[in-house]
Amino acid sequence: MAAGLAPEAKRTLSEGTVIPAHPLALTRDRRLDERRQRALTRYYVEAGVGGIAVGVHTTQFEIRDVGLLEPVLRLASRTADEVTGEAPGFLKVAGVCGDTTQALEEAALARDAGYQLGLLSFRGLGDWSEERLLEHARAVSEAIPVVGFYLQTAVGGRRLGYDFWRAFADLPGVHAVKIAPFDRYATLDVVRAVCASERRDEIALYTGNDDTIVTDLLTPYRVRVGDRTVEKRIVGGLLGQWSVWTRTAVELLDEVRAYRNRDAVPTELLTRATRWTDANAAVFDAANRFRGVIAGVHEVLRRQGLLEGVWCLDPEEGLSPGQADEIARVRSEHPDLIDDAFVAERKDAWLR
């Protein structure tokens, strides 16, 4: 039997919200910096997000190898509860990885730590057949409500086509899909597959395409299913890009919502969409095939004073040559996209 999702959480998920992918705050010797980790969670909640995603790619998959998965999950959950007053509609999403045995263990840990949803990654399962992946997803969705995750191939994902996502959408425990292949054709595969499912109204679509956030959020997808046309929207984002300049991201989603029922979208908003892509290219290190993606997120937060450094669990992982200069450039060229004033006003309280 599929795991259930409380009505308040289901409402937040289906209406759409900002869910930042939570980074990992480390000390210089690469140990968990609990004070700054809590500060990040406080930042996101006070910025107005509707949820957080922890134990995901931006948190660094390697936390599982160094015994940090459980403490990081529990710390973020407790901190969010303190700030929100344990609001039942605030979404806590835990990354769930590995083979079925590992994934079920992580799902159980997530539920025990207060997470309502598991973001199910197929990273590391590249040799599994699609049928085996579907059985894996079914098993996990019976332990925790699932958000599917179409991860881009550049950071460990695999190509999965329409037929896979069509079968995936029929699983009763699937409540959302994060579409993050960084590929328009693959994005359409997921949208068409969900629209074709009888569960289409039960599944929320979230963008994970950090390179085309605004376009994803603005576009009404119309798909022919049988003798009728089904319309479906990407209602929110679960994004690494939204782990930085988060207050601006919340304002962006509010603005996009205002245009969803209008016939015309301002040219300025479409132009801003390209500027967000430019900003993301710098933060995610697109020029170097995303080698410095996590360090780039850390660099933005370091410049704001929320992190002490850009250290990652892997000592070989860091900023690419020229990446810091690119981040400085987009901060200078797109000052309306950043939230430095918001952070500066509150960061001392978050770091207490």
Side-chain angles (χ1 to χ4, degrees):
M1 181 178 295
L5 188 61
E8 298 90 347
K10 184 71 173 177
R11 187 176 308 114
T12 300
L13 187 68
S14 62
E15 290 178 355
T17 193
V18 170
I19 305 176
H22 205 306
L24 180 68
L26 295 175
T27 62
R28 186 179 298 274
D29 59 356
R30 293 185 167 82
R31 297 181 183 275
L32 176 63
D33 186 334
E34 291 195 12
R35 182 172 71 99
R36 292 184 182 275
Q37 190 74 10
R38 288 169 61 86
L40 288 176
T41 307
R42 290 170 176 146
Y43 163 41
Y44 299 135
V45 177
E46 292 192 18
V49 305
I52 52 174
V54 188
V56 296
H57 175 245
T58 307
T59 325
Q60 302 179 52
F61 289 124
E62 292 87 351
I63 61 173
R64 293 160 174 82
D65 303 326
V66 296
L68 284 180
L69 178 62
E70 180 170 358
V72 167
L73 286 178
R74 293 192 184 278
L75 183 61
S77 181
R78 287 196 307 269
T79 305
D81 285 348
E82 290 168 6
V83 183
T84 66
E86 301 185 35
F90 186 84
L91 301 174
K92 289 184 282 187
V93 184
V96 175
C97 300
D99 63 18
T100 305
T101 298
Q102 177 183 333
L104 290 174
E105 290 174 352
E106 293 189 4
L109 168 61
R111 292 302 295 264
D112 185 63
Y115 290 76
Q116 309 105 316
L117 292 155
L119 181 67
L120 182 60
S121 172
F122 299 129
R123 183 177 181 271
L125 308 179
D127 59 342
W128 285 24
S129 68
E130 292 190 358
E131 291 75 15
R132 188 178 179 189
L133 289 178
L134 288 168
E135 287 306 309
H136 172 72
R138 183 186 299 277
V140 175
S141 70
E142 292 174 356
I144 190 169
V146 159
V147 178
F149 185 10
Y150 198 172
L151 177 65
Q152 62 160 318
T153 58
V155 292
R158 60 180 283 184
R159 188 68 182 230
L160 295 164
Y162 171 88
D163 291 340
F164 173 84
W165 292 108
R166 176 65 184 81
F168 186 87
D170 281 343
L171 297 177
V174 172
H175 292 262
V177 179
K178 169 181 172 171
I179 311 173
F182 284 45
D183 181 303
R184 307 317 299 158
Y185 302 113
T187 294
L188 283 171
D189 282 342
V190 180
V191 176
R192 290 179 51 243
V194 171
C195 286
S197 172
E198 292 297 320
R199 298 192 63 253
R200 66 182 73 90
D201 295 332
E202 298 297 312
I203 298 175
L205 297 180
Y206 275 67
T207 183
N209 291 319
D210 304 77
D211 61 341
T212 182
I213 297 168
V214 180
T215 303
D216 274 358
L217 293 171
L218 281 172
T219 302
Y221 293 87
R222 297 190 177 106
V223 177
R224 192 71 178 174
V225 178
D227 60 355
R228 70 189 188 105
T229 299
V230 173
E231 181 169 305
K232 190 79 173 170
R233 285 186 178 270
I234 293 174
V235 295
L238 197 168
L239 295 155
Q241 176 62 47
W242 281 358
S243 67
V244 300
W245 306 323
T246 310
R247 179 60 186 167
T248 312
V250 171
E251 294 169 348
L252 172 68
L253 182 58
D254 288 343
E255 184 178 359
V256 166
R257 284 196 182 107
Y259 289 103
R260 282 183 174 167
N261 295 319
R262 302 183 188 181
D263 292 332
V265 174
T267 301
E268 187 281 327
L269 188 54
L270 297 175
T271 301
R272 202 182 331 150
T274 67
R275 296 197 292 117
W276 272 113
T277 301
D278 184 34
N280 176 253
V283 176
F284 273 27
D285 194 27
N288 295 287
R289 295 291 294 162
F290 308 101
R291 189 183 70 84
V293 53
I294 294 174
V297 167
H298 291 183
E299 174 66 5
V300 173
L301 297 170
R302 184 197 66 79
R303 289 175 185 240
Q304 292 183 314
L306 289 168
L307 291 185
E308 185 181 2
V310 303
W311 308 296
C312 299
L313 288 171
D314 181 354
E316 299 300 315
E317 193 166 355
L319 293 170
S320 292
Q323 188 180 0
D325 291 339
E326 274 295 284
I327 291 172
R329 177 187 66 79
V330 298
R331 283 170 53 87
S332 175
E333 290 185 11
H334 311 301
D336 56 317
L337 304 187
I338 68 177
D339 64 354
D340 283 8
F342 174 79
V343 173
E345 181 183 344
R346 295 165 174 80
K347 70 177 179 181
D348 289 344
W350 299 334
L351 286 162
R352 68 183 185 274

